[in-house]
Amino acid sequence: MGSSTSLKKNLVISQKNQDNSTCHPPHPIETGHLEGLQKQILTVPKAQRMAEFFSLLGDSNRLRILSVLARKELCVCDLAATLDMSESAMSHQLRTLRAMRLVSYQKRGRKVFYRLQDNHVLALYQSVAEHLEEID
Amino acid sequence: MGSSTSLKKNLVISQKNQDNSTCHPPHPIETGHLEGLQKQILTVPKAQRMAEFFSLLGDSNRLRILSVLARKELCVCDLAATLDMSESAMSHQLRTLRAMRLVSYQKRGRKVFYRLQDNHVLALYQSVAEHLEEID
DNA sequence: TGAATATATGAAAATACTTTCAGAAATTAA
DNA sequence: TTAATTTCTGAAAGTATTTTCATATATTCA
């Protein structure tokens, strides 16, 4: 069982806007007051890695998969049945979760059982759940 | 200044797989042992709201915008210059951040200054930063 | 071994997201 | 008022992601 992922957007791309005239009616900005700022902000590579991680949680099917696995390890077909997804779609999603090490798996007979890799992710999404209740 | 957003994927869609034969070589699954599970998992609407939130953080430009605003409120054109994005792209991104109430803004003269709405988001992404350092 | 079951995979189709482009709207200054 | 500046907007273009479909691989059982 190999491994590969999607979520490429945040991995590689960069280097747009090579010429520094980013503003469309270009205006003479004195960037002096911005330089200090530029050194402190999230670097592009870090932002990309972080965004890749958040993107992983930015899909309701993946979140539901994680919420099921939080309670019980489960094989692919039961996951698919529980969440009303095709087994193929489930398999693709599990692959991306695997690639980011959010789940681990164990083969038993012809079934493959998936489980959460750790509880860090759960903590994270509980934190978001709270935030969402706050802003309502 | 109106408001509208993207990130539609997690908002509305559902109801795929209307027929219950989700498994491709359909197999007679006894769903009895899954019913308890289905009641406890994240509901689709909740998962969608949560995914929508994570998606918002799932873009490196948006994360960098937030990281800049964490230090200092800034107008659109300075944000654009700092992060090397076009002002139009910046404006579009700020709109989605506004729509999800992660940033607020204040108009002064012809400039519009954006700032973080609260520090909840920062806390969240610090938590992810830690996770990312762990798994390296 | 052959048939059935469970999962995985690549490619194409279906969707979704982000940026650019062209131009509108609002504000300021001359 | 006219010109310049700043931001916003809708639509199209460019890119990315997710699902489906067809098929491959692996395991079990008869």
Side-chain angles (χ1 to χ4, degrees), chain B residues 16-71:
Chain B
K16 315 154 189 175
N17 261 319
Q18 286 86 342
D19 62 332
N20 258 353
S21 62
T22 70
C23 303
H24 247 271
H27 60 123
I29 198 172
E30 12 79 43
T31 43
H33 64 115
L34 294 178
E35 271 164 23
L37 215 50
Q38 277 176 326
K39 279 169 199 146
Q40 293 179 314
I41 57 176
L42 204 50
T43 62
V44 172
K46 275 194 186 178
Q48 286 173 340
R49 277 170 53 69
M50 201 172 258
E52 193 187 0
F53 185 86
F54 279 120
S55 287
L56 207 65
L57 302 180
D59 177 274
S60 56
N61 280 337
R62 281 193 296 265
L63 283 177
R64 276 160 44 85
I65 291 169
L66 294 174
S67 88
V68 177
L69 294 182
R71 302 183 187 277

Side-chain angles (χ1 to χ4, degrees), chain A residues 44-57:
Chain A
V44 173
K46 276 194 186 177
Q48 286 173 339
R49 279 171 49 71
M50 202 172 258
E52 193 187 0
F53 186 85
F54 279 120
S55 287
L56 206 66
L57 302 180

Side-chain angles (χ1 to χ4, degrees), chain A residues 73-89:
Chain A
E73 69 165 16
L74 228 45
C75 66
V76 179
C77 69
D78 280 357
L79 276 170
T82 304
L83 299 183
D84 191 27
M85 293 171 65
S86 76
E87 290 174 8
S88 181

